[in-house]
Amino acid sequence: MAGGNIFLIYASLDGSVTLSPRKAFGHLDVFYDPNIQAYLLEGSGVHDGVMTANIRCDNCMHLGNGDNIIGSSSSWGWAMRHGYPLVSSDVAVRIHKHDVHGSFTLDLTRAIGGNSSNPFLDSTYPHHDATPFSKEHVIDDALLYSKRVAHGVMTPIAFVLMFPGFGLLLHIYPSRHTVLWMHAPMQIIAVCVALIGLGFGVSVSMDLKLSKGYHPTIGYVLVGVVLLIQPVLGIVQHLHFRRSGGTAIYGVLHRWFGRLLSAIGIVNGGLGFYYANQHTEDIPPIPPIIYGMVCGGVCILYVFVVMWRREKTRSQAIIAKFQTESLQNKSDLDQGSDNLDSARSGSVESSSISEKKWQVS
């Protein structure tokens, strides 16, 4: 749509049709462009509730990027809004956002007209129905909006709340049963939420033909790593822990990959708001602000819990070491006391023997 010419038509006050040529700038508001040399030809009007616009354009053969529109698969788009009809003779009238839009292709190599001033009414040229040769794609804007909201809610829930939160369970409840009965099942749920959110995002990008941008590309890689690599590292580490009771390189990679992926996911969520705002104007300012506040709170909480667990583990290690040293000192003291008692007992026995010898003498 960006860079193309828009032929906006609506009923005029005199009962005919108003043509308002406009330049497309993506999924944004469009305004009247007097530089587009488009005109209505005879035969245009409203007849029996059907609006017909026979349009001639003298400088519409190339798009804004220089591409020629003539081809066997020329891309076109359309849009409409339900409700009360717009009736105006003002070519610069402000319009509301459409409810339904779509795209289709035309084989313009089959176009006819020659030097005729109005081929639409010239019986010399037969008319062809281009519908069977057109690839049409219809998009319901209400459904598109719902999918965008679902994507914008589910993926942040997965990457901002669920992945970091379920990872913290290992720090809050450090037990041999935490991984099997809490961490792993909940992370599986988080992966499912991320996959569903990705599915909505893919559907939106296909509707808007924006599947190759930086935001969706990062999302594809993130979800792919979360789905394919993270579970393998976690399972291998768990099996190693059951055999040896310790942490291997798999566990270290699993832990830091998880933190890195969550961080990239949080950043990509912020980029998503910016990416969407580049192509549409209906992004309210409140959701990005709330998103940033929640992300900041989660990051602070995550660091706090990790540092708290690390400090608690360190304190427990110091206490355990102190108790071990105390027990060792007590053991040494008891052993020394036993040796002293033995020495005293030996001295008493020697004195008794000497006394007996003296009495005998």
Side-chain angles (χ1 to χ4, degrees):
M1 182 176 176
N5 298 315
I6 296 178
F7 302 135
L8 179 64
I9 59 172
Y10 41 90
S12 64
L13 296 175
D14 58 2
S16 59
V17 176
T18 300
L19 171 64
S20 175
R22 307 193 178 199
K23 182 66 68 175
F25 298 99
H27 295 272
L28 306 172
D29 280 349
V30 293
F31 302 96
Y32 171 67
D33 187 351
N35 296 318
I36 301 176
Q37 301 172 13
Y39 316 95
L40 286 173
L41 300 178
E42 185 181 355
S44 303
V46 181
H47 308 285
D48 298 328
V50 178
M51 186 179 298
T52 302
N54 297 329
I55 303 172
R56 169 181 172 173
C57 185
D58 294 337
N59 61 348
C60 298
M61 299 302 293
H62 294 84
L63 300 177
N65 57 5
D67 292 344
N68 195 311
I69 67 170
I70 300 298
S72 59
S73 184
S74 179
S75 297
W76 291 71
W78 60 270
M80 61 177 291
R81 177 179 174 84
H82 297 291
Y84 292 103
L86 174 62
V87 180
S88 175
S89 299
D90 183 7
V91 294
V93 66
R94 184 72 179 269
I95 61 174
H96 297 285
K97 185 180 179 181
H98 47 73
D99 297 323
V100 183
H101 71 282
S103 60
F104 60 95
T105 60
L106 286 176
D107 183 3
L108 292 185
T109 60
R110 300 165 58 91
I112 56 176
N115 296 323
S116 174
S117 60
N118 190 349
F120 299 102
L121 300 181
D122 194 336
S123 59
T124 306
Y125 302 100
H127 292 181
H128 298 280
D129 184 5
T131 304
F133 309 99
S134 175
K135 298 179 181 179
E136 187 174 5
H137 181 51
V138 180
I139 302 170
D140 186 333
D141 287 344
L143 179 59
L144 175 63
Y145 178 79
S146 299
K147 291 189 292 186
R148 288 172 59 191
V149 171
H151 171 70
V153 170
M154 298 187 73
T155 46
I157 286 178
F159 282 95
V160 178
L161 299 179
M162 300 181 77
F163 286 133
F166 297 158
L168 286 179
L169 291 175
L170 297 174
H171 297 274
I172 299 174
Y173 303 106
S175 169
R176 59 182 300 179
H177 303 293
T178 302
V179 172
L180 190 60
W181 297 106
M182 296 178 66
H183 176 73
M186 291 183 176
Q187 292 291 35
I188 291 175
I189 295 175
V191 171
C192 293
V193 173
L195 281 174
I196 296 173
L198 176 67
F200 282 119
V202 171
S203 179
V204 170
S205 64
M206 292 178 63
D207 287 343
L208 300 179
K209 297 182 179 180
L210 299 172
S211 58
K212 296 182 180 180
Y214 55 86
H215 173 68
T217 301
I218 296 174
Y220 301 150
V221 175
L222 276 178
V223 176
V225 174
V226 168
L227 179 64
L228 301 177
I229 297 180
Q230 276 293 88
V232 174
L233 293 174
I235 292 172
V236 174
Q237 164 57 30
H238 182 65
L239 295 176
H240 175 82
F241 178 81
R242 293 184 62 180
R243 289 194 303 266
S244 63
T247 301
I249 185 63
Y250 311 106
V252 176
L253 291 176
H254 180 73
R255 183 188 311 121
W256 284 101
F257 262 178
R259 293 172 178 174
L260 178 63
L261 293 174
S262 295
I264 296 176
I266 290 174
V267 173
N268 195 42
L271 292 176
F273 285 106
Y274 178 75
Y275 184 76
N277 194 55
Q278 285 183 313
H279 302 283
T280 58
E281 289 186 331
D282 57 349
I283 304 297
I286 298 300
I289 296 175
I290 296 176
Y291 178 80
M293 295 174 62
V294 172
C295 291
V298 169
C299 292
I300 294 173
L301 178 62
Y302 190 93
V303 173
F304 172 79
V305 172
V306 171
M307 297 302 295
W308 166 76
R309 171 52 59 186
R310 184 175 299 176
E311 185 63 26
K312 188 172 183 178
T313 302
R314 178 174 170 272
S315 300
Q316 290 175 344
I318 293 175
I319 293 173
K321 181 180 179 181
F322 176 77
Q323 291 176 344
T324 302
E325 292 177 351
S326 298
L327 291 175
Q328 183 66 35
N329 293 335
K330 183 178 180 181
S331 177
D332 294 341
L333 183 61
D334 291 342
Q335 185 176 0
S337 178
D338 292 341
N339 293 337
L340 181 60
D341 291 341
S342 298
R344 288 177 178 176
S345 177
S347 176
V348 170
E349 290 179 358
S350 299
S351 176
S352 177
I353 293 173
S354 299
E355 183 178 353
K356 288 180 180 181
K357 287 183 178 181
W358 182 79
Q359 290 176 353
V360 171
S361 301

